[in-house]
Amino acid sequence: MKTSSPFAIFTAILVSLFTSSCEEVIEYSPYQNIVPKKWKNQNISNYNALLPAANEVFEPFKVALIADTHTYYDEFEKQVKFINSFTDIDFVIHLGDVTLSANSREFEWYSDIMNKLNVPVITIIGNHDCLGNGYSIYTDMFGESNFYFEYRDVKFVIFDDIIWEKHIADPDFTWFNNALKNDGSYKHVIPFAHIAPWDDQFSMGNELYYNYILEENHISLSVHGHDHHYKWKQPYGEVNYMTVPSPDKQELIILDIHAEAVQVERLNY
Amino acid sequence: MESILRHVADRAILIGMLLLHAFFAESQEQLNKAVRRGDAVSDAPVTNAANHEKEHNDKDRLWYIPSQYKLQYAGGIGFMSAGFGYEVSPTYQPVLFVGYLSESFGGSQNRVLSVSVKNSFYLSRQPLLKYFRPYAGLSINWGNTNNTFRSLPEYYPDEYYFQNKVHSAPFVGGELYVNLKPNKQIKGMGVYAELSALDAYLLEAIRTQYVKPHMALTLALGLTVYIN
């Protein structure tokens, strides 16, 4: 039939689109919060992947730190390759800002690249990840934004300190203070939060209070992202503050954790 | 309470769109009656019945009466969206869409109400191979959901973020058009499919190697009813 050929071609294109990459090519909205099943609660599944080693007695181990991958996808892939070249890194912590505008596909692209790492990744929330419906996409994709976990007698406290984008005045310092408590069973307690307390998002009261909580709990190191550059400083006295560079800086930060001290390695690649 | 409000809002949007349609239909009906009565609606001289019919089709439509209605699935502006459009010229036919997405309507935990102006340009005056009408254009999509903004609240430093409420999306598509000329109300119907690329995704497809061009694309499927 003369008229059937364009119809057939058109239908064939549609059918092939649908069958080949339906999930990829269908988007109801860039603000949609529809997390594919395989990418739900990844902080929980990734922590579970650390078991049973996580519960074993202390022996020195290494953790790689990355941050602010935003849409530096190519640089992030390079970083993933570099981390995969090591065999002595137990896991990776991403210090937040996995997206630029918290659009649905940005979260998926992050998950896609992050899952190419050979070791599990714990992902912290960043301020960019709270735009649009980002906060609820994050909680669906990774889990609660305030949490802590133990790995070989070291306590990793992950603190959500996003303020402006969540339209709040203060982060949950009560939770943070309780989470930092060391009942004596931990060799170290290390807090990780996307924004360092000297940033504009912190009021002066919150800035000093953050450091006060750390001093009260005898914390010696606080780790952050957000700045895109490596920094190591003691702006309030005793406590060391470190910021982790974004992947475009081509520098990897590794925490080398020993019983008596936590050392920082800076590796350029 | 919140779920009741959401339910009411969901229904209100649908009812609103139906009312709008009813308003258009009523206005057109009154115009049609006026034409049947022989009231002077058009200044053009009426020579014969065929011409009169043509005049009625092309000029007697009140300016705000749409010439087409659309129902669309996906395409980045809602799980489903409904729109009405105008035949500004045979090639330029803009359509205004209102789209909706929620947990019960598309499976997103957060609700999104989208308003989109789709500037469609038909690439051929007559359907190719009798039925196929290719088109392309640019959509301007306004997204209303949590934490979207045109200008930033005061406490942010200048240019801290790009605005994230309005996005543009170029698109190409094709419509299978069936002429229903003998029908009094409906001139024709079309089924269309189109691929659009959200500006934010397109930028990454251009800027990075990781994001391949097809990863920026979004498919929309829809139905058009062209009104006489």
Side-chain angles (χ1 to χ4, degrees):
Chain A
M1 231 161 62
K2 201 177 107 187
T3 55
S4 65
S5 62
F7 183 78
I9 294 166
F10 194 56
T11 313
I13 292 170
L14 276 188
V15 169
S16 63
L17 270 173
F18 254 114
T19 49
S20 63
S21 55
C22 187
E23 211 175 75
E24 261 183 37
V25 84
I26 295 288
E27 184 173 71
Y28 297 147
S29 167
Y31 315 104
Q32 73 183 23
N33 176 6
I34 307 173
V35 176
K37 237 183 191 165
K38 61 175 176 179
W39 285 334
K40 278 185 185 277
N41 293 315
Q42 292 183 94
N43 280 344
I44 296 163
S45 55
N46 286 358
Y47 178 72
N48 287 338
L50 289 172
L51 296 170
N55 291 333
E56 287 167 8
V57 289
F58 185 85
E59 58 179 76
F61 63 92
K62 287 182 178 181
V63 180
L65 303 178
I66 60 177
D68 297 277
T69 47
H70 292 288
T71 52
Y72 298 121
Y73 296 118
D74 298 338
E75 294 84 349
F76 185 25
E77 281 196 312
K78 243 189 220 171
Q79 196 170 43
V80 165
K81 265 190 193 161
F82 184 63
I83 296 171
N84 281 345
S85 70
F86 293 85
T87 52
D88 59 346
I89 289 170
D90 285 18
F91 62 95
V92 176
I93 294 178
H94 188 302
L95 280 132
D97 274 0
V98 303
T99 67
L100 187 62
S101 305
N103 290 323
S104 165
R105 282 189 190 174
E106 293 178 16
F107 276 102
E108 295 188 8
W109 293 338
Y110 165 71
S111 284
D112 179 47
I113 299 174
M114 177 267 271
N115 278 292
K116 290 174 183 163
L117 278 159
N118 295 337
V119 291
V121 184
I122 301 295
T123 305
I124 302 177
I125 197 163
N127 52 311
H128 281 254
D129 309 326
C130 293
L131 296 172
N133 291 317
Y135 182 76
S136 43
I137 298 174
Y138 171 90
T139 52
D140 213 25
M141 201 170 226
F142 302 103
E144 293 290 318
S145 58
N146 280 324
F147 61 101
Y148 61 82
F149 62 95
E150 299 160 25
Y151 187 81
R152 292 187 185 276
D153 298 335
V154 176
K155 193 179 194 183
F156 294 84
V157 177
I158 310 300
F159 183 42
D160 169 3
D161 64 348
I162 312 305
I163 300 167
W164 288 342
E165 292 75 5
K166 288 171 69 184
H167 309 288
I168 55 171
D170 313 302
D172 192 348
F173 282 128
T174 312
W175 177 90
F176 189 46
N177 189 29
N178 288 331
L180 288 176
K181 298 254 177 292
N182 187 349
D183 57 8
S185 59
Y186 300 110
K187 297 269 187 284
H188 305 283
V189 176
I190 311 172
F192 296 81
H194 179 66
I195 300 175
W198 57 77
D199 190 84
D200 289 347
Q201 292 223 5
F202 277 64
S203 65
M204 191 179 280
N206 280 345
E207 178 180 358
L208 299 175
Y209 191 51
Y210 183 95
N211 187 66
Y212 171 79
I213 292 173
L214 263 51
E215 282 179 353
E216 284 293 295
N217 288 289
H218 311 290
I219 305 296
S220 57
L221 172 64
S222 182
V223 185
H224 305 275
H226 196 59
D227 274 7
H228 290 218
H229 290 274
Y230 171 83
K231 278 180 197 150
W232 178 271
K233 58 183 191 177
Q234 302 76 28
Y236 315 107
E238 297 279 298
V239 185
N240 295 304
Y241 285 84
M242 178 169 71
T243 61
V244 173
S246 48
D248 54 314
K249 307 296 181 304
Q250 305 205 30
E251 180 181 15
L252 182 68
I253 306 296
I254 293 177
L255 285 185
D256 189 1
I257 302 174
H258 295 263
E260 59 285 354
V262 177
Q263 291 163 358
V264 174
E265 282 178 27
R266 296 175 66 187
L267 301 172
N268 289 301
Y269 56 92
Chain B
M1 185 63 192
E2 203 185 338
S3 67
I4 296 170
L5 282 176
R6 281 181 184 184
H7 189 77
V8 170
D10 287 3
R11 295 301 169 273
I13 288 160
L14 292 175
I15 291 166
M17 287 166 72
L18 284 173
L19 285 175
L20 196 62
H21 176 88
F23 169 71
F24 287 149
E26 177 62 23
S27 302
Q28 188 64 51
E29 184 55 31
Q30 285 189 1
L31 178 74
N32 291 351
K33 275 182 188 162
V35 170
R36 276 198 293 274
R37 281 201 309 272
D39 294 357
V41 179
S42 165
D43 293 338
V46 179
T47 50
N48 56 41
N51 263 354
H52 180 268
E53 187 64 30
K54 188 175 185 312
E55 289 298 324
H56 170 56
N57 281 348
D58 297 346
K59 288 188 180 168
D60 292 348
R61 190 193 305 284
L62 291 170
W63 66 268
Y64 56 84
I65 305 294
S67 65
Q68 52 192 267
Y69 292 93
K70 285 177 189 277
L71 191 65
Q72 181 175 298
Y73 164 72
I77 55 166
F79 173 61
M80 295 293 289
S81 51
F84 55 89
Y86 299 91
E87 193 179 326
V88 175
S89 78
T91 50
Y92 178 51
Q93 305 198 3
V95 180
L96 181 75
F97 275 98
V98 178
Y100 193 61
L101 172 66
S102 70
E103 187 150 23
S104 57
F105 199 66
S108 166
Q109 281 186 34
N110 301 93
R111 300 164 67 222
V112 184
L113 178 69
S114 305
V115 176
S116 171
V117 178
K118 190 191 280 184
N119 294 288
S120 284
F121 294 87
Y122 285 93
L123 303 177
S124 67
R125 284 193 170 235
Q126 293 301 320
L128 302 175
L129 299 162
K130 203 170 172 188
Y131 294 108
F132 186 67
R133 300 217 298 176
Y135 62 90
L138 184 77
S139 272
I140 307 297
N141 304 338
W142 179 79
N144 187 16
T145 187
N146 304 306
N147 238 359
T148 56
F149 48 83
R150 283 281 297 133
S151 57
L152 281 169
E154 268 178 17
Y155 47 78
Y156 286 96
D158 288 346
E159 297 177 359
Y160 200 70
Y161 293 118
F162 300 121
Q163 65 82 22
N164 67 343
K165 205 177 197 70
V166 179
H167 283 288
S168 62
F171 59 86
V172 288
E175 184 170 64
L176 286 174
Y177 177 76
V178 183
N179 209 333
L180 299 172
K181 261 279 157 66
N183 189 305
K184 264 199 164 175
Q185 262 104 43
I186 299 172
K187 190 161 77 178
M189 284 182 75
V191 184
Y192 65 89
E194 71 186 40
L195 289 165
S196 62
L198 189 80
D199 49 11
Y201 298 155
L202 193 60
L203 180 71
E204 301 311 332
I206 295 166
R207 210 182 57 78
T208 73
Q209 289 183 345
Y210 167 75
V211 180
K212 302 282 181 292
H214 76 270
M215 291 159 75
L217 297 179
T218 305
L219 179 70
L221 299 173
L223 181 77
T224 313
V225 177
Y226 295 89
I227 306 295
N228 261 326

